[in-house]
Amino acid sequence: MAKVKREKWSKEFSEWYNELLESAGIVDKRYPVKGMNVWLPYGLKIMRNIEKFIHAEMARTGHEEVLFPALIPETEFQKEAEHIKGFEDEVYWVTHAGLDPLDVRLILRPTSETAMYSMFSLWIRSHADLPFKVYQIVNVYRYETKHTRPLIRVREISRFFEAHTAHESYEDAERQIKEDLEIFDRLAKFLALPYIISKRPEWDKFPGAYYSIGAEVVMPDGRTLQIGTMHNYRQNFAKAYNIQYETETGDHEFVHQTTFGMSERLLAAVIAVHGDDNGMVLPPTIAPIQVVIVPIPKKEAKVDVFAYAHEIAEELREAGFRVHVDERDIRPGRKYYDWELKGVPLRIEVGPRDVEGRKAVLARRDTFEKVTVERDKVVEEVRKTLDAIHENLYQRAKEFLESHIKRVDTIEEAKAVFEDRRGIVEIPWCGEEECGLKMEEELDAKMLGIPYPEERARIEGKKCPLCGREAKFIARFARTY
Ligand code: 5CA
Ligand code: ZN
């Protein structure tokens, strides 16, 4: 039985990742615009399965789907001062139509606040329209200057999920953030991804937000990846875009707004967190093929392994599984290799002896364990094994995450963590921006923020290692993607 190997996966993660995206057929990064990649069929199928879950969650929580144009007039883009400041050096401009310069130049959306909110001000009239909850999954464009990487940091984010909501009060907007966190938690469980939530420091909030929170996973090399964010805007954008509603008493008030954003980074996290040296390991929930059946014919055998394989496949399909029978005329070992690379969670091998004995061999992708089961128990065993795989992926990832969070008291200890296995360092902090920024500099790391909700971040009896004052919070630092 093969053993799980994670040498290259952890020690040369970048190389492992880039090779895998190509060999497993996820995206092709040879497209001639830097930071913009081509989705390949297999990668797209996995991403669509993630999106299906997101659409279902949106329906469950009463968000309506919309689609806004990708172009935004300069005049709309410039209405919220903080927002422009945050994005002006990242937007792509459309300045001409044919040969004529445009009167009002257009930007390609980097996110859709400035596209949506002038329309919100037309649509939202009274308290009866609230809460107002919409979302879209679209491509957005950001001229990223940090190192670009497929799915992780792209200049065309092709599967950008953004939910935008408007509320009567701050309290109701806070309820929305709680709902977003619950949706995110269900999605993370669906992807078998353990994560941490932090409230961003003031200097790293989303441009225009009152506060921002982020969800992070730890990648195989110990760096963190932000895979989701929620923002409470309070009335900042409502004032800039004049989004008012009539209260029950006939007064006019600005709405409170929130957003919730994610992208194909979710897929990057799944690939990275669950993978090993043999390739991807997909959670059964999103695997385009959950079970691959490999018939192993033998020349002198009289029984038909192909018919037997199809019979099992049909039965599994009827039970609701996504199944593929690999009938290619190549050696079984080669087939195993291909499907392991592509992360198919479960393989069934059937040879003449299995046909004669009415048996089948189940081989797990996550542990490489093999068991022989009775033919009439196959459906039941497949169901049990896929569940076990999902659970094992989650537990393994959870252990990895937990072993990469270290609480320390001094800068020296924090530095040692970043030299050793990296991950996330938690350190006492007085709460002052000056100390936070200095710690970022000394550690050559980013402050992810403080644990969320804030009650979990408060500490007593510790000193800020920089200024020696009483520490108010635990602050998290990491090298980030
Ligand atoms: N308007 C808000 C909420 S929708 C917003 O744009 N927030 S964001 O800038 O934090 O982006 C939301 C999520 O998109 C991030 O958490 C991250 O998962 C993803 N994302 C951001 N930039 C990129 C990028 N260049 N490539 C891939 N994913 C990205
Ligand atoms: Zn301090």
Side-chain angles (χ1 to χ4, degrees):
M1 190 171 79
K3 269 225 181 80
V4 178
K5 244 185 74 186
R6 283 183 144 182
E7 284 288 311
K8 182 155 187 177
W9 174 81
S10 62
K11 297 205 174 79
E12 295 161 55
F13 171 68
S14 270
E15 236 184 290
W16 177 91
Y17 180 73
N18 284 326
E19 283 173 14
L20 187 59
L21 292 184
E22 189 182 322
S23 56
I26 308 300
V27 293
D28 196 324
K29 59 176 197 303
R30 291 171 300 179
Y31 188 75
V33 180
K34 186 175 145 61
M36 302 193 184
N37 308 301
V38 181
W39 282 85
L40 298 172
Y42 191 66
L44 191 55
K45 276 185 192 138
I46 308 170
M47 193 63 217
R48 294 289 190 217
N49 285 339
I50 298 176
E51 285 166 33
K52 234 179 265 170
F53 186 86
I54 296 174
H55 284 297
E57 281 299 295
M58 289 291 103
R60 182 181 69 81
T61 52
H63 289 74
E64 295 275 16
E65 190 180 14
V66 292
L67 274 181
F68 273 73
L71 295 176
I72 305 171
E74 178 171 18
T75 42
E76 287 304 317
F77 176 59
Q78 282 170 344
K79 285 183 176 168
E80 213 285 333
E82 288 289 318
H83 190 74
I84 321 167
K85 245 204 299 166
F87 277 106
E88 65 185 355
D89 58 351
E90 276 187 36
V91 295
Y92 286 91
W93 287 94
V94 176
T95 59
H96 286 70
L99 299 176
D100 305 324
L102 293 171
D103 290 340
V104 177
R105 298 187 299 167
L106 304 166
I107 63 158
L108 270 173
R109 62 182 164 212
T111 168
S112 302
E113 282 76 0
T114 65
M116 290 185 171
Y117 296 169
S118 61
M119 299 308 292
F120 281 22
S121 87
L122 301 174
W123 295 340
I124 296 169
R125 302 263 59 124
S126 92
H127 61 89
D129 300 324
L130 302 174
F132 179 81
K133 297 158 76 166
V134 295
Y135 78 101
Q136 63 181 9
I137 303 179
V138 294
N139 31 15
V140 302
Y141 301 83
R142 295 181 181 182
Y143 181 64
E144 297 278 2
T145 46
K146 253 175 106 176
H147 186 63
T148 58
R149 283 169 207 276
L151 308 179
I152 291 176
R153 184 173 302 278
V154 282
R155 289 181 173 172
E156 178 182 59
I157 309 174
S158 32
R159 308 312 303 150
F160 189 69
F161 159 87
E162 47 180 330
H164 293 253
T165 68
H167 308 267
E168 285 188 49
S169 63
Y170 182 75
E171 289 66 42
D172 203 52
E174 286 290 278
R175 261 198 295 282
Q176 187 57 48
I177 299 284
K178 291 227 167 64
E179 184 177 86
D180 296 344
L181 283 165
E182 187 214 352
I183 294 167
F184 185 83
D185 188 64
R186 290 163 58 99
L187 174 63
K189 296 248 159 65
F190 179 74
L191 303 175
L193 286 179
Y195 61 94
I196 56 154
I197 295 271
S198 312
K199 184 170 179 184
R200 294 274 179 268
E202 281 297 310
W203 63 90
D204 196 32
K205 294 187 308 192
F206 181 76
Y210 170 59
Y211 73 76
S212 295
I213 56 188
E216 259 95 21
V217 295
V218 176
M219 299 290 264
D221 61 358
R223 286 161 74 175
T224 59
L225 179 70
Q226 178 197 305
I227 54 169
T229 44
M230 298 97 187
H231 314 281
N232 190 329
Y233 292 160
R234 250 187 357 192
Q235 294 171 309
N236 291 352
F237 284 94
K239 285 176 182 160
Y241 288 84
N242 193 30
I243 313 172
Q244 296 193 39
Y245 71 98
E246 196 176 321
T247 66
E248 278 179 79
T249 54
D251 294 331
H252 289 268
E253 296 264 8
F254 289 109
V255 297
H256 285 257
Q257 289 175 278
T258 79
T259 59
F260 172 15
M262 298 184 287
S263 75
E264 55 258 50
R265 271 191 194 176
L266 290 167
L267 176 56
V270 167
I271 292 172
V273 169
H274 299 313
D276 63 23
D277 285 357
N278 291 45
M280 294 201 289
V281 185
L282 291 174
T285 46
I286 57 166
I289 298 170
Q290 296 169 309
V291 183
V292 63
I293 306 181
V294 180
I296 307 168
K298 293 252 159 59
K299 277 221 173 67
E300 57 297 350
K302 288 184 197 71
V303 290
D304 186 349
V305 288
F306 291 98
Y308 188 72
H310 281 290
E311 193 189 293
I312 293 174
E314 217 25 66
E315 208 176 299
L316 285 169
R317 283 192 196 107
E318 267 162 38
F321 297 105
R322 298 186 286 273
V323 188
H324 175 71
V325 180
D326 187 349
E327 296 186 276
R328 289 178 298 167
D329 190 17
I330 53 175
R331 302 247 310 274
R334 186 57 216 294
K335 296 184 182 181
Y336 299 172
Y337 175 90
D338 286 352
W339 298 115
E340 280 172 8
L341 197 61
K342 284 183 173 292
V344 172
L346 191 59
R347 179 176 76 228
I348 299 182
E349 303 164 9
V350 289
R353 295 250 300 275
D354 299 304
V355 182
E356 276 154 16
R358 298 209 50 83
K359 290 187 171 24
V361 175
L362 270 50
R364 283 172 66 154
R365 174 62 184 87
D366 60 334
T367 58
F368 297 102
E369 254 171 302
K370 277 194 191 195
V371 290
T372 302
V373 304
E374 300 291 331
R375 168 70 185 83
D376 50 12
K377 293 262 167 61
V378 166
V379 171
E380 186 187 325
E381 288 299 324
V382 164
R383 180 170 291 125
K384 272 204 307 219
T385 311
L386 289 177
D387 285 348
I389 292 170
H390 195 90
E391 181 59 24
N392 179 49
L393 290 182
Y394 182 76
Q395 289 305 335
R396 180 168 75 173
K398 190 156 177 261
E399 275 163 36
F400 184 85
L401 173 69
E402 281 165 3
S403 70
H404 281 80
I405 302 176
K406 188 126 197 267
R407 206 166 266 215
V408 302
D409 288 328
T410 66
I411 296 289
E412 284 63 42
E413 286 172 281
K415 279 186 178 158
V417 174
F418 287 125
E419 264 153 41
D420 183 21
R421 53 191 326 205
R422 305 207 229 171
I424 299 159
V425 172
E426 297 187 329
I427 191 163
W429 176 44
C430 61
E432 293 302 320
E433 182 159 334
E434 200 189 327
C435 285
L437 289 172
K438 229 186 238 155
M439 284 197 225
E440 284 192 336
E441 205 181 296
E442 292 226 8
L443 299 175
D444 188 22
K446 251 187 70 150
M447 188 194 282
L448 300 177
I450 61 173
Y452 183 91
E454 209 170 301
E455 302 91 80
R456 280 202 215 152
R458 297 210 165 265
I459 49 162
E460 274 166 37
K462 293 273 184 190
K463 297 259 177 292
C464 172
L466 276 190
C467 65
R469 279 176 292 198
E470 190 74 16
K472 289 194 184 124
F473 305 107
I474 278 293
R476 291 175 172 146
F477 289 84
R479 305 258 163 93
T480 64
Y481 269 100

